[in-house]
Amino acid sequence: MRSDAALHPVKDSPVMTPRPILIIEDDATLRATLAEQIALEGSFIADAAESASDAATKLAGMDVRYDAILLDVGLPDADGRDFCAKLRRDGNTTPIIMLTGADAEADVVRGLDAGANDYIAKPFRLPELLARVRAQLRTFDNSEAAVFTIGPYQFRPSARQLLEASRNRKVRLTDKECRILKYLLRADNAAVTRATLLAEVWGFNSGVTTHTLETHIYRLRQKMEADPAHPRLLLTDRGAYRLDAAAPVVASAGPELPRTH
């Protein structure tokens, strides 16, 4: 239902969608404690692996996505730095923070040279660790390396662009359209309320209404849906919005042009 009244947070408080983190740590007690404490903090949800081989299996899952990796150096079946280097060779660009008891300069340099984004020594304080994770995610989310698949498109937030490679078609996006797509991607196919999207994209600006959001959703569908009247990617779900990034690829609407606006 369309509403032209300004939406206030007291009526529908937004809920931040936790971002998934993979903890690769062989110490069972530390692994469980870290996962529990991360979940309690609320910004992230943790999955865990006890070895490099276990982590490789999880990372290879078709329906699995992690926004960050916490990687212990001393794994039972590999040196964490070697595993980090292998992930980078395989094209994995996920932010990696290495956890280790060895904090000598040479150890830090070796970890960073292996492709780690940051390096933190044990014992560490959880608030500092999570602050470093958030800092790396802010950097990554706006980097050229951040590329996401949405149906037939490659979504490049840094370029504000959807690329449909099969038709050599580029769709330009506005800043707000990018932010909407990024937040819906983070929700991992879950429905996100209008209040949450307004809070995350516009910050509950008193001059912004639900109609403003609905207009942006309408324009996004015009740009990315093969049939905007029957969307397959950007869905309305019980009054909220949901992005089905894994929807079957369908030829997009419009002629095969180098660019659309």
Side-chain angles (χ1 to χ4, degrees):
M1 180 179 295
R2 171 175 166 174
S3 172
D4 293 320
L7 188 63
H8 299 288
V10 295
K11 294 184 178 180
D12 189 357
S13 298
V15 177
M16 174 72 75
T17 302
R19 303 188 72 166
I21 292 179
L22 177 61
I23 303 168
I24 309 173
E25 167 64 60
D26 67 326
D27 185 315
T29 300
L30 177 57
R31 188 171 65 244
T33 301
L34 193 53
E36 179 183 4
Q37 292 300 313
I38 284 175
L40 287 174
E41 193 273 343
S43 298
F44 304 97
I45 185 169
D47 192 7
E50 63 183 6
S51 65
S53 59
D54 186 18
T57 299
K58 289 179 178 291
L59 289 165
M62 293 296 293
D63 299 322
V64 175
R65 175 181 61 84
Y66 300 105
D67 286 351
I69 296 173
L70 303 181
L71 174 60
D72 185 29
V73 168
L75 298 174
D77 56 348
D79 184 300
R81 291 162 295 203
D82 294 337
F83 184 61
C84 177
K86 182 181 185 305
L87 290 177
R88 297 310 191 210
R89 289 195 301 271
D90 292 344
N92 189 315
T93 58
T94 304
I96 296 175
I97 295 179
M98 303 207 74
L99 311 177
T100 179
D103 61 351
E105 182 178 355
D107 295 305
V108 175
V109 169
R110 185 180 170 193
L112 296 175
D113 284 346
N117 298 85
D118 203 351
Y119 199 95
I120 188 166
K122 301 174 183 176
F124 50 80
R125 296 177 179 175
L126 184 66
E128 178 187 357
L129 173 63
L130 295 182
R132 293 197 185 198
V133 172
R134 283 190 286 267
Q136 292 300 329
L137 288 174
R138 284 193 297 271
T139 300
F140 179 76
D141 286 349
N142 293 291
S143 72
E144 292 293 336
V147 180
F148 308 94
T149 300
I150 302 177
Y153 303 102
Q154 293 295 306
F155 173 41
R156 300 177 182 273
S158 63
R160 297 183 186 177
Q161 183 183 97
L162 290 170
L163 172 63
E164 189 179 9
S166 64
R167 305 175 73 230
N168 191 31
R169 180 172 176 265
K170 295 178 181 179
V171 181
R172 290 178 177 171
L173 303 172
T174 67
D175 175 66
K176 291 294 190 291
E177 289 167 350
C178 279
R179 294 178 67 178
I180 289 169
L181 288 181
K182 283 168 64 176
Y183 194 83
L184 290 175
L185 274 168
R186 282 173 52 185
D188 200 19
N189 204 31
V192 178
T193 67
R194 289 177 170 86
T196 298
L197 278 174
L198 283 171
E200 292 301 319
V201 177
W202 282 274
F204 274 119
N205 184 318
S206 60
V208 175
T209 68
T210 54
H211 177 55
T212 300
L213 172 60
E214 290 160 3
T215 298
H216 279 76
I217 295 293
Y218 171 81
R219 290 174 179 169
L220 270 171
R221 284 174 173 157
Q222 293 296 315
K223 292 180 177 183
M224 62 191 296
E225 296 285 0
D227 181 358
H230 300 90
R232 299 170 62 93
L233 300 171
L234 185 49
L235 309 173
T236 301
D237 188 344
R238 292 170 293 180
Y241 295 113
R242 178 167 63 86
L243 185 66
D244 187 359
V249 174
V250 177
S252 60
E256 294 191 21
L257 299 175
R259 293 182 183 271
T260 61
H261 299 275

